[in-house]
Amino acid sequence: MSLMRTKSVEQSIADTDEPEFRLKRSLTALDLTIFGVGVVIGAGIFTLTGRAAHDVAGPAIVISFAVAAIACALAAMCYAEFASTVPVSGSAYTFSYASLGELFAWIIGWDLILEMFLGASVVAQGWSAYLKVFLGQLGIVLPDGISHGGAVDVVAIVFVLVLGALMTLGIKESMRVNLVLVALKLFIVLFVIVAGIGFINPANYAPFVPDAVPTESATGFHQPLIQFLFGLPPATYGVGGILAGAALVFFAYIGFDVVATTAEETKNPQKALPIGIIASLVICTLLYCAVALVVTGMVSYDQLDPSAALAAAFAYHGQSWMATIIAAGAVAGLTTVVLTLMIGATRIIFAMSRDALLPRGLARVHPKLRTPWIISILVTVVVAIVAGVTPIGALEEMVNIGTLSAFVLVSVAVIVLRRQRPDLPRGFRVPWSPFLPALSALVCVYLMVNLPVDTWLRFLVWLAIGFVIYFAYSRRHARVGQPDYVDVTKPRVVAPPKDGRG
């Protein structure tokens, strides 16, 4: 039983037609674009921009967003090519199974489960915190014991359960709610941008790229891996600050890859998936750059409040009421993020269960709703428990390292599949391959080594747990390795009659 055995693209696509595992195709390119914007634009647009400008880049944070967008665009193009070639649930997991082999597919699937479970839980806690602030500004006070900061965050638990019920009801119904919330979120973001333009002072843009200055470095396991290995002296501002800012705000873009998990529920995946992935990234980039220009123009970068820059910028100009608007935007924004991550988690586990790397019974689709209802319930319960009773804290960076590892493998897999299967029809092709996919992988590795050492150690522990499960269960039960497994790409050998005639 080879660890590098692959599952052919044709077989992956054929599996989507099995009646008991068939999902309902109802999504369009517009649905996918809204889906992508919904998960990428979160509360970070109101906070991360100012923190990055204040701490590392100054007004040049706008350039940082552009650099990060280019890095994301490289990975997005790789996802778009794969999603249009292998329009199957599972995203990077499915792509890796078709090109790099089962072990790599398991690793990336295991990483994606970490990203989406933990990401949804962390953001659900953030939603609870913003809701408490928003209601407080309206004069409604939630009890401390059952809200954010309490022993059990009941508000976060109820929130996740409601989204879980919506997700189980159907993907189209989830998208309708997502559409309303994304529209509200975009309206508030655009309103903040337009309102802030009137308070811009051009003098705040000078110097646009502040002079580089040395800074104190983190020590021990809290320092970036690259600093731990090579002893590089950290600095802020200048060209190095722009690149450090790009590494920081890169994580504001994370989430567009979740679009690929809806491939089996898309009407015309070869065309709709590339449009949805790339269009959502372009829209988010424009919004991020606009907010960065506004916030650094309203207040000098060295006077920005790193924790709540945009709200503080309006308060600086005597517009405290805008804090209520910003809190409302954060509540709407985080709702769509949690919903999208939970949907992505169910589709990853669905694909892995259908391949029997996880118990196959989990992948049963509801006969009427045509959704993976068992997995939806499982994901909802786990995310609700983690969001309600677990202090996440430093584990938030685990989301980033899981995502970046997926980006690396997808970028490499594009190169591998181009060489293995040049005959496959591709609805979208990454230009200048293999150069751009290789550059995408290198950029993501660079961003990974800028994460703290303790994040890497936790990541290695998670991988070790995954290896134990794979060798103890998944490798022996995988459909690809079963004696009765038939690949549709291979000719069937029919035995001759026993009597020798024919």
Side-chain angles (χ1 to χ4, degrees), residues 251-314:
F251 305 121
Y253 290 100
I254 284 178
F256 67 83
D257 55 311
V258 183
V259 175
T261 65
T262 63
E264 280 184 51
E265 293 153 284
T266 305
K267 289 180 180 178
N268 187 358
Q270 285 75 15
K271 292 184 178 179
L273 282 165
I275 292 174
I277 291 172
I278 295 173
S280 59
L281 183 60
V282 170
I283 292 170
C284 295
T285 300
L286 293 175
L287 291 174
Y288 280 139
C289 289
V291 170
L293 279 172
V294 167
V295 73
T296 53
M298 290 177 68
V299 180
S300 177
Y301 72 90
D302 56 349
Q303 297 180 32
L304 285 171
D305 181 353
S307 61
L310 207 52
F314 280 100

Side-chain angles (χ1 to χ4, degrees), residues 402-463:
T403 303
L404 286 167
S405 63
F407 286 5
V408 171
L409 287 182
V410 168
S411 301
V412 173
V414 165
I415 300 173
V416 173
L417 197 63
R418 281 276 192 103
R419 293 185 176 182
Q420 290 179 344
R421 298 294 307 276
D423 57 304
L424 286 174
R426 290 168 168 84
F428 176 86
R429 300 176 71 92
V430 180
W432 301 311
S433 182
F435 173 73
L436 285 188
L439 180 60
S440 173
L442 291 174
V443 169
C444 292
V445 169
Y446 170 75
L447 293 171
M448 288 177 72
V449 297
N450 276 278
L451 291 171
V453 175
D454 51 6
T455 297
W456 276 90
L457 293 176
R458 294 189 187 101
F459 182 60
L460 293 176
V461 171
W462 177 258
L463 284 180

Side-chain angles (χ1 to χ4, degrees), residues 260-417:
T261 65
T262 63
E264 280 184 51
E265 293 153 284
T266 305
K267 289 180 180 178
N268 187 358
Q270 285 75 15
K271 292 184 178 179
L273 282 165
I275 292 174
I277 291 172
I278 295 173
S280 59
L281 183 60
V282 170
I283 292 170
C284 295
T285 300
L286 293 175
L287 291 174
Y288 280 139
C289 289
V291 170
L293 279 172
V294 167
V295 73
T296 53
M298 290 177 68
V299 180
S300 177
Y301 72 90
D302 56 349
Q303 297 180 32
L304 285 171
D305 181 353
S307 61
L310 207 52
F314 280 100
Y316 178 84
H317 290 279
Q319 307 296 318
S320 300
W321 62 274
M322 284 296 297
T324 303
I325 301 295
I326 291 170
V331 170
L334 292 180
T335 301
T336 62
V337 174
V338 176
L339 177 60
T340 307
L341 287 173
M342 289 174 65
I343 291 173
T346 61
R347 273 47 180 182
I348 295 292
I349 298 174
F350 172 77
M352 297 178 73
S353 300
R354 186 168 57 188
D355 291 333
L357 294 179
L358 293 173
R360 202 155 186 248
L362 294 175
R364 302 286 181 188
V365 173
H366 194 279
K368 292 184 178 179
L369 301 176
R370 306 310 301 173
T371 58
W373 64 281
I374 299 176
I375 298 175
S376 296
I377 294 173
L378 175 65
V379 168
T380 301
V381 170
V382 172
V383 171
I385 292 174
V386 174
V389 302
T390 306
I392 303 297
L395 292 181
E396 293 178 22
E397 288 178 332
M398 291 285 286
V399 179
N400 302 331
I401 196 168
T403 303
L404 286 167
S405 63
F407 286 5
V408 171
L409 287 182
V410 168
S411 301
V412 173
V414 165
I415 300 173
V416 173
L417 197 63

